[in-house]
Amino acid sequence: MKEHRLLLFFLLLSAVVLCISPFLGMTATSLSGVFGRHADALESVVFWRIRIPRVLTAYLAGGGLALSGMAFQALFRNPLATPFTLGVSGGAAFGAALYMRLGLAIALPGIGGSTLAAFSGAVLVILLAYWLTRLQGGFATHTLLLAGVALSFFLSSMILALQYSASLHDSFRLVRWLMGGLGMVGYDAVLSLFPLVATGAVVLFLLRPELDLLLLGDDLAMSRGMELQRTRLLLFFSVSLMVGGIVSVCGPIGFVGMMVPHMCRLLAGTGHRTLLPASFLLGGAFLTLCDTGARILFAPAEIPVGVITALLGGPFFLFLLFSRNTRRMLR
Amino acid sequence: MTDAVFDIQNLTVVLGGKRILSALDFTLHAGESLVIVGPNGAGKSTLLKAMLRLVPVQSGEIYFKGRSLKDWSRRELAQHAAYVPQAGERAIPYSVYEFVLMARYPYLSTFAALSEKDHAIAAEAMAQAEVEKFAHRPLYNLSGGERQKVFIAAALAQCPDILFLDEATAFLDYRHQTEVLSLITKLRRDQGVSVVSVTHDLNQGALAYDRVLALKDGQKVFFGSPAELFRSDILENIYDTSFHFLEDSESGRSIVVPGKAVL
């Protein structure tokens, strides 16, 4: 019952955030300006063409990032593991940046080329990170995180190299995108993001019992009847799908996948039956709020939302690293 | 032939380039319980894991209920065999009840939620292992002995007909040792659950098993009845140290004591 109330609360929170944030930003819009009898043409355009798609994108991206983080934390049995800290976002970013730099135009029906490139980058880094941990004969936390840091560094230098070789205009565009921003998304972003996040979320939703079992350790999970390889592959696939999609649209936005599932775990416990919907709802609301903050904190200027999440997430990461709960889990 | 639960032929297991088990053969019949003994590093736990298909087999075959173990799906296998690993491995972030309930996994279909029946079976398993009173405590808050009983409860919730225990009483205080051992005896006697158990303490009820398998450096050095095992020359060969026996005046059972008898 406690769990149901929590989910209901997050649902309400999401509804409130989704309803209010489109009205906030550099250009103030008001109810009467958008819906009123004498609707203002500019306000109405800002509201419908800019704010609504932006808010929806932020919500989908936030929910997807939170779910990806949650899945990685179960998979690697480590509260600090997220697609961002393990360099998977970096891989996706490199894939997408390379695609932009080369000016390619490959697309499958329904999926943009940069999404495809980001997805491939994400898959490659996941496989690499996974292979590195296997090489060690286990999921040694410190090795894993350090490998993630090393991969991230490596990928950022690759991206820097791409940037350096790009024209001034392209280079600026790349930098802004890499900071993680939702500044220039339209309905096409929402439409390309929705199927990817929805697919990933549904796969994870069906894997709730497996996510629970993963936290028991491989042997015990398998002895309970879980097909380990199949579960891992499905998790890799759905996380790559979501992260690839999100990064190609919004750039690598960090720390949402770490902060949100952790907060939900404190409130809802570790069982994924509740943790999964809670993470999605809170992740969506959280990133939408951060993006609203990005619009209004320094108005009329706007800061990239990735900067805000990183400002919140950095200290949070340190807090987690030194907290007793983490130590107990890492042992 | 038909009543063989486990038929192990020429089993060799290599892990990380090291040969852990070599050319092992033995057969376990329906209703029989097996205890695996031997010195440290003999491959006891690995054999247990191989019988549960948790480690890859290099060569040889394991037949479980007449069918090659490779052909069993994990789910099917989990409906027959449950595993209680060595204690104290990792902090598990669930409450006791959640943990026991998760053992119903092999009976879940993809879209179905846990049923009333699953809850009833979990509750029943917890009652059997006498862990109901900590149902809502987190697992990492329990003592080693309490934890061990919870792990057994979870294995029971899987409704297995064969239970695998890895050093079930190691590191427990005397009271919990006694409780865990009597729980295992009760399961065998009253519920007809077969037990395959690893131990390095011969006095922990090894005599109560139908079969004893002794391993040394990954090889079978003894397979037979407990009565045959309790001979000083056989034990000396297994453990490379001398033994003598004491007799319990109450039950008349032999107790193994390592070292020469001091007169």
Side-chain angles (χ1 to χ4, degrees):
Chain A
M1 284 311 102
K2 190 188 130 210
E3 283 88 9
H4 286 137
R5 255 183 284 150
L6 187 75
L7 289 182
L8 198 64
F9 171 70
F10 283 164
L11 206 61
L12 282 175
L13 179 73
S14 297
V16 170
V17 168
L18 283 176
C19 287
I20 292 179
S21 60
F23 291 103
L24 302 172
M26 187 174 75
T27 316
T29 48
S30 60
L31 266 179
S32 62
V34 178
F35 297 106
R37 226 180 248 244
H38 307 287
D40 182 278
L42 176 69
E43 280 188 34
S44 169
V45 166
V46 167
F47 186 86
W48 290 113
R49 297 271 177 80
I50 300 175
R51 295 278 169 75
I52 292 282
R54 178 166 177 170
V55 164
L56 290 177
T57 307
Y59 194 86
L60 280 175
L65 287 171
L67 287 187
S68 309
M70 181 204 75
F72 261 39
Q73 284 147 22
L75 186 62
F76 291 97
R77 260 173 260 130
N78 184 331
L80 299 174
T82 63
F84 190 76
T85 41
L86 293 190
V88 177
S89 298
F94 177 69
L98 188 66
Y99 179 85
M100 288 182 200
R101 174 71 190 89
L102 296 179
L104 298 172
I106 319 156
L108 290 180
I111 307 169
S114 70
T115 305
L116 215 57
F119 174 73
S120 318
V123 170
L124 282 179
V125 173
I126 286 187
L127 293 180
L128 192 61
Y130 187 66
W131 176 71
L132 283 172
T133 56
R134 289 274 91 176
L135 209 62
Q136 275 281 320
F139 294 101
T141 309
H142 298 100
T143 328
L144 185 66
L145 288 177
L146 288 175
V149 170
L151 276 174
S152 296
F153 269 130
F154 179 74
L155 291 162
S156 344
S157 346
M158 300 279 278
I159 294 174
L160 276 179
L162 278 183
Q163 227 173 292
Y164 189 75
S165 68
S167 70
L168 198 61
H169 172 73
D170 284 349
S171 168
F172 181 71
R173 218 163 55 107
L174 214 55
V175 170
R176 283 300 298 269
W177 172 74
L178 282 171
M179 286 178 184
L182 292 152
M184 30 221 141
V185 298
Y187 283 106
D188 52 337
V190 182
L191 286 179
S192 75
L193 207 50
F194 181 77
L196 300 173
V197 173
T199 309
V202 167
V203 174
L204 292 182
F205 184 81
L206 293 176
L207 289 176
R208 285 169 305 162
E210 283 82 0
L211 287 165
D212 282 343
L213 283 172
L214 277 169
L215 287 171
L216 302 183
D218 294 349
D219 284 348
L220 208 49
M222 285 193 282
S223 81
R224 294 273 191 267
M226 191 186 87
E227 297 287 350
L228 187 64
Q229 291 309 339
R230 202 193 57 183
T231 305
R232 278 186 184 146
L233 282 177
L234 282 171
L235 287 177
F236 286 161
F237 170 76
S238 45
V239 167
S240 304
L241 209 59
M242 291 195 285
V243 170
I246 293 165
V247 166
S248 70
V249 171
C250 322
I253 297 172
F255 299 106
V256 178
M258 187 176 56
M259 287 189 279
V260 172
H262 189 76
M263 285 188 257
C264 292
R265 226 172 261 128
L266 289 178
L267 295 168
T270 325
H272 289 82
R273 201 167 56 95
T274 315
L275 186 60
L276 185 137
S279 296
F280 183 83
L281 294 172
L282 187 63
F286 175 77
L287 192 63
T288 312
L289 270 179
C290 285
D291 186 49
T292 310
R295 285 203 300 273
I296 57 178
L297 280 180
F298 296 96
E302 193 177 288
I303 48 175
V305 66
V307 172
I308 294 200
T309 59
L311 284 176
L312 294 170
F316 193 89
F317 183 94
L318 287 176
F319 159 75
L320 265 188
L321 190 61
F322 291 111
S323 88
R324 240 182 342 146
N325 278 332
T326 314
R327 281 168 183 265
R328 193 165 49 210
M329 227 176 130
L330 296 186
R331 198 192 59 79
Chain B
M1 231 2 244
T2 45
D3 72 334
V5 173
F6 267 103
D7 191 10
I8 292 182
Q9 298 173 1
N10 201 24
L11 174 69
T12 298
V13 173
V14 176
L15 294 177
K18 197 168 165 255
R19 183 181 278 248
I20 311 287
L21 295 174
S22 36
L24 215 57
D25 289 288
F26 68 91
T27 305
L28 195 64
H29 295 280
E32 283 182 339
S33 285
L34 172 75
V35 60
I36 304 166
V37 302
N40 295 336
K44 305 187 291 289
S45 297
T46 305
L47 174 58
L48 207 66
K49 288 184 181 181
M51 291 169 83
L52 284 155
R53 222 182 75 202
L54 300 178
V55 290
V57 167
Q58 176 86 6
S59 62
E61 272 291 348
I62 302 178
Y63 292 96
F64 178 51
K65 302 201 171 183
R67 195 145 57 102
S68 173
L69 200 59
K70 293 193 295 276
D71 299 334
W72 287 73
S73 74
R74 289 243 175 256
R75 191 188 162 78
E76 253 181 313
L77 195 59
Q79 295 177 1
H80 292 271
Y83 175 49
V84 178
Q86 254 175 53
E89 280 182 15
R90 143 185 345 273
I92 288 173
Y94 295 103
S95 77
V96 170
Y97 189 60
E98 285 175 307
F99 177 69
V100 174
L101 207 51
M102 281 160 69
R104 296 299 299 162
Y105 176 79
Y107 300 94
L108 280 181
S109 61
T110 314
F111 295 98
L114 289 162
S115 66
E116 286 298 313
K117 191 181 154 215
D118 293 313
H119 284 272
I121 289 171
E124 164 75 28
M126 293 195 345
Q128 274 185 337
E130 293 171 8
V131 294
E132 318 99 303
K133 49 185 175 295
F134 5 94
H136 297 289
R137 274 170 58 190
L139 216 59
Y140 53 72
N141 264 349
L142 302 182
S143 76
E146 292 165 341
R147 246 175 85 98
Q148 194 64 1
K149 288 197 288 186
V150 171
F151 269 74
I152 295 176
L156 291 180
Q158 239 170 287
C159 298
D161 36 52
I162 184 160
L163 186 63
F164 291 81
L165 298 153
D166 197 350
E167 304 267 14
T169 53
F171 312 115
L172 300 190
D173 60 35
Y174 292 119
R175 178 170 73 89
H176 283 112
Q177 277 184 23
T178 320
E179 285 178 5
V180 167
L181 286 174
S182 70
L183 173 62
I184 296 170
T185 314
K186 218 167 62 191
L187 291 173
R188 286 183 50 202
R189 200 186 50 214
D190 303 343
Q191 314 222 344
V193 177
S194 300
V195 172
V196 175
S197 179
V198 163
T199 183
H200 61 228
D201 189 341
L202 293 171
N203 295 317
Q204 294 279 12
L207 277 174
Y209 287 82
D210 306 298
R211 284 276 172 270
V212 182
L213 172 70
L215 295 178
K216 184 181 177 184
D217 299 326
Q219 283 171 329
K220 176 174 84 177
V221 283
F222 174 86
F223 183 72
S225 69
E228 295 170 282
L229 175 78
F230 274 40
R231 275 174 35 193
S232 59
D233 56 330
I234 289 180
L235 289 177
E236 229 174 285
N237 176 35
I238 299 171
Y239 288 98
D240 287 327
T241 184
S242 51
F243 286 88
H244 65 281
F245 300 93
L246 300 176
E247 194 167 293
D248 177 16
S249 54
E250 259 178 66
S251 64
R253 284 192 340 198
S254 291
I255 292 167
V256 184
V257 184
K260 288 246 184 305
V262 183
L263 295 174

